């Protein structure tokens, strides 16, 4: 085993248990905040700037990725002054292409890896997968944890795997996908969050987007609490990325309210908070245009990707 | 022991459900003697937006249904209305009609549903055409539904006006959101109950109650509404609708009819809510004077 490993490690079995009823009540309260027009306007632009525009399908082609990269930089040219999205998220084989399409745009390229979405592959394969993505130029790596091992209680295995991927990442920031839809309980979500944070995650991310339920507010809240506890203890910030199922502006704004109230304003930038979504961007654009023009919009007037 | 009468809450009809208005506002509906008959929802812009969303969602599958199936569903609506006639007559009387008038209005509404049910699988044949053209093309025009129709129902009628407005739209494969008469809204929500029990998919017809001047703008400016259908003759209102509708070049259709009359139902009310698609299909004139064969 690596001798450079941190000496102190908490016992993950001792992660605090989560009061599900309490979480639900707290989350419900975030959804009742009255957001006035001016704040809404800012919030929508902020949400837009936090989106990881994503395409992770077997049918992805270079053309599709090129198209999405264009969309990332030109969200809606009719309305000047819009921010761009934070990043595009693609499979490793598309990283080089995305990187060259996005050069000089300031938009990052994130790549999923470690046998996404199931994570059912030998560790060597996962490391090679990640190495490949990093060498192709990925700025961020979205890895999945081995949920099967986690549920079987093999926490050390999961921990070591995350740590070894982190090592391969180099300068690339590592997002660790817990796939909360498969973890069954909020207690497990909390445990997996603690584990990922200690193993070196720069971001923790809810889901792959392939499993339902995905980023429910309850799950996101639980993960935000893990980040806050870690910050309180160590002073180190960890980012958060809810992914999957956030397709409306309203839900995005609720999430921002939650981040602000749980973690504080420092997290309200795309360096520390992201939305993994493909259809959210257009809904936010429609809402922004609604606030600018006062007229309800139609999806027909917005590019699909 | 005397029994407390259970009164109906008149709510909206959006996406196959009966929600209260999002705004929480309502207005009391009075009878002639000045006592309250019911509290009616005062719909807001957001209700209208929700209705458009529901209508758009329903449009795909409703417009793709076979014409025959649409006809069956419309006929089923007539059956359901017939079965509920007493309720409609009571409501019409409560809103100031005589019993005879009310009876006649319900009869006519049922008949009008059957009339449009019949057109469902016939209007395309009757309206479409094969057009003579000067080149070697088979040129034909077919009618297709416009999409989501914003209907501002007649103010002077509770039931027949509503039926006359909705039926031509949905018979032709459109979906719609309807603002019922402000002064005579009772039958609108009861009609929604009829629609809801007639195999009509949720969202095809969405019924709102409220004030026309308040919702006019949302109906006519909403970029996802394809046409505005207005029954009335108020010049100012018509001008406003036309101005608002220019945002996405909506069709604006204005009617001023006596909806109880026999000629208030016809094929052209249906075809007004259709777009015409013309196809040029290249063909070889085999054996003709210009043929190479």
């Amino acid at each position: 085993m690596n001798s450079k490993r941190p000496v102190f490690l908490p016992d993950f079995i001792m992660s605090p248990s989560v009061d599900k009823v309490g979480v639900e009540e707290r989350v419900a309260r975030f959804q009742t905040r009255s957001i006035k027009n001016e704040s809404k306007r800012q919030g929508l632009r902020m949400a837009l700037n936090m989106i990881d525009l994503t395409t992770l399908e077997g049918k992805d082609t270079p053309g599709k990725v090129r198209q999405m990269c264009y969309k990332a930089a030109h969200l809606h040219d009719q309305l000047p002054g819009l921010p761009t999205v934070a990043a595009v998220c693609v499979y490793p084989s598309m990283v080089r292409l995305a990187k060259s399409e996005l050069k000089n745009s300031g938009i990052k390229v994130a790549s999923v890896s470690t046998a996404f979405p199931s994570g059912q592959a030998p560790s060597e394969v996962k490391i090679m997968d990640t190495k490949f993505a990093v060498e192709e130029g990925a700025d961020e790596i979205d890895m999945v944890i081995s949920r099967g091992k986690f549920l079987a209680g093999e926490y050390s295995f999961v921990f070591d795997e995350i740590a070894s991927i982190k090592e391969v990442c180099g300068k690339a920031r590592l997002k660790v996908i817990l796939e909360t839809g498969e973890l069954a309980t909020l207690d497990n979500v909390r445990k997996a969050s603690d584990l990922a944070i200690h193993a070196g995650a720069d971001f923790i991310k809810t889901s792959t987007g392939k499993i339902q339920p995905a980023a429910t507010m309850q799950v996101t809240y639980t993960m935000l609490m893990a980040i806050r506890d870690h910050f309180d203890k160590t002073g180190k910030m960890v980012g958060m990325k809810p992914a999957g199922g956030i397709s409306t502006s309203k839900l995005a704004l609720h999430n921002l309210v939650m981040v602000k109230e749980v973690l504080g304003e420092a997290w309200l930038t795309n360096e520390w908070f992201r939305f993994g979504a493909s259809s959210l961007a257009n809904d936010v654009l429609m809402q922004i245009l609604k606030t600018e023009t006062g007229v309800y919009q139609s999806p027909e007037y917005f590019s699909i990707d | 022991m005397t029994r407390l009468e259970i009164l109906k809450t008149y709510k909206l009809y959006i996406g196959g459900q009966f929600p209260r208005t999002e705004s929480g506002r309502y207005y009391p509906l009075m009878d002639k003697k000045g006592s309250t008959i019911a509290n009616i929802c005062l719909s807001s812009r957001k209700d209208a937006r929700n209705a458009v969303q529901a209508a758009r969602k329903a449009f795909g599958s409703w417009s793709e249904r076979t014409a025959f199936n649409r006809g069956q569903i419309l006929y089923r609506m007539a059956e359901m209305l017939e079965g509920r006639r007493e309720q409609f007559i009571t409501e019409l009387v409560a809103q100031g009609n005589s019993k005879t008038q009310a009876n006649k209005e319900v009869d006519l509404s049922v008949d009008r549903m059957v009339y449009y049910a019949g057109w469902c699988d016939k209007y395309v044949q009757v309206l479409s055409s094969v057009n003579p053209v000067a080149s070697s093309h088979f040129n034909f025009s077919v009618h297709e539904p416009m999409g989501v129709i914003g209907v501002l129902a007649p103010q002077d009628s509770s039931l027949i006006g509503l039926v006359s407005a909705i039926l031509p739209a949905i018979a032709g494969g459109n979906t719609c959101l309807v603002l019922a008469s402000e002064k005579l809204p009772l039958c609108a929500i009861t009609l929604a109950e009829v629609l809801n029990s007639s195999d009509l998919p949720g969202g095809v017809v969405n019924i709102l109650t409220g004030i026309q001047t308040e919702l006019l703008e949302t109906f006519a400016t909403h970029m996802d509404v394809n046409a505005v259908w207005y029954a009335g003759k108020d010049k100012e209102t018509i001008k406003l609708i036309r101005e608002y509708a220019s945002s996405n070049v909506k069709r604006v259709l204005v009617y001023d009819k006596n909806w109880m009359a026999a000629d208030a139902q016809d094929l052209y009310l249906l075809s007004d809510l259709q777009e015409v698609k013309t196809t040029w299909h290249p063909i070889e004139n085999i054996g003709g004077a210009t043929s190479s064969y």
Side-chain angles (χ1 to χ4, degrees), chain A residues 10 142 157 159 192 237 257 295:
Chain A
D142 289 26
F157 179 92
F159 184 97
M237 285 170 84
V257 167
V295 171

Side-chain angles (χ1 to χ4, degrees), chain A residues 250 283 287 290 294-301, chain B residues 45-46 49 56 218 221-224 226 247-248:
Chain A
K250 199 179 210 175
D283 195 69
Q287 291 304 318
K290 159 75 174 59
V295 171
Y296 286 118
Q297 300 296 311
S298 162
E300 269 185 41
Y301 300 93
Chain B
R45 284 177 303 170
K46 278 190 184 168
R49 176 203 61 186
R56 176 58 64 193
T218 310
T221 55
H222 199 307
M223 299 289 279
D224 214 14
N226 300 91
S247 62
N248 65 339

Side-chain angles (χ1 to χ4, degrees), chain A residues 117-137:
Chain A
S118 72
Q120 296 282 18
S123 294
E124 304 83 67
V125 174
K126 293 183 182 179
I127 288 172
M128 274 173 61
D129 195 13
T130 310
K131 245 186 202 153
F132 174 77
V134 173
E135 278 162 13
E136 293 285 282

Side-chain angles (χ1 to χ4, degrees), chain A residues 179-194:
Chain A
E179 192 61 305
T180 52
E182 291 184 339
L183 296 186
T185 66
L186 290 180
D187 282 345
N188 278 345
V189 172
R190 173 68 199 228
K191 217 175 279 176
S193 307
D194 286 347

Side-chain angles (χ1 to χ4, degrees), chain A residues 142-298:
Chain A
D142 289 26
M143 72 168 288
V144 291
I145 63 166
S146 303
R147 281 88 74 192
K149 295 280 186 192
F150 177 85
L151 291 171
E154 297 185 39
Y155 301 143
S156 307
F157 179 92
V158 179
F159 184 97
D160 291 346
E161 203 168 64
I162 298 172
S164 62
I165 298 291
K166 170 74 183 166
E167 233 165 77
V168 182
C169 280
K171 275 188 197 153
R173 293 180 87 199
L174 176 65
K175 306 194 199 107
V176 178
I177 304 173
L178 309 181
E179 192 61 305
T180 52
E182 291 184 339
L183 296 186
T185 66
L186 290 180
D187 282 345
N188 278 345
V189 172
R190 173 68 199 228
K191 217 175 279 176
S193 307
D194 286 347
L195 199 150
I197 290 170
H198 280 97
D202 297 304
F203 262 86
I204 50 177
K205 172 173 167 184
T206 57
S207 324
T208 59
K210 308 284 180 199
I211 299 279
Q212 289 301 324
T216 63
M217 284 188 76
Q218 288 85 336
V219 155
T220 306
Y221 176 73
T222 306
M223 293 167 70
L224 290 175
M225 284 306 289
I227 293 173
R228 190 176 102 175
D229 287 347
H230 183 71
F231 179 75
D232 287 347
K233 265 184 214 134
T234 65
K236 279 189 197 129
M237 285 170 84
V238 173
M240 173 70 205
K241 175 175 171 184
I246 301 174
S247 55
T248 65
S249 312
K250 199 179 210 175
L251 203 50
L253 288 175
H254 288 159
N255 269 277
L256 290 181
V257 167
M258 181 159 70
V259 172
K260 163 110 180 7
E261 294 186 19
V262 177
L263 295 178
E265 266 171 53
W267 267 265
L268 286 181
T269 112
N270 65 16
E271 205 192 335
W272 297 109
F273 191 75
R274 296 282 178 85
F275 292 108
S278 43
S279 55
L280 175 63
N282 270 8
D283 195 69
V284 174
L285 286 172
M286 276 165 60
Q287 291 304 318
I288 290 178
L289 235 72
K290 159 75 174 59
T291 56
E292 300 287 332
T293 61
V295 171
Y296 286 118
Q297 300 296 311
S298 162

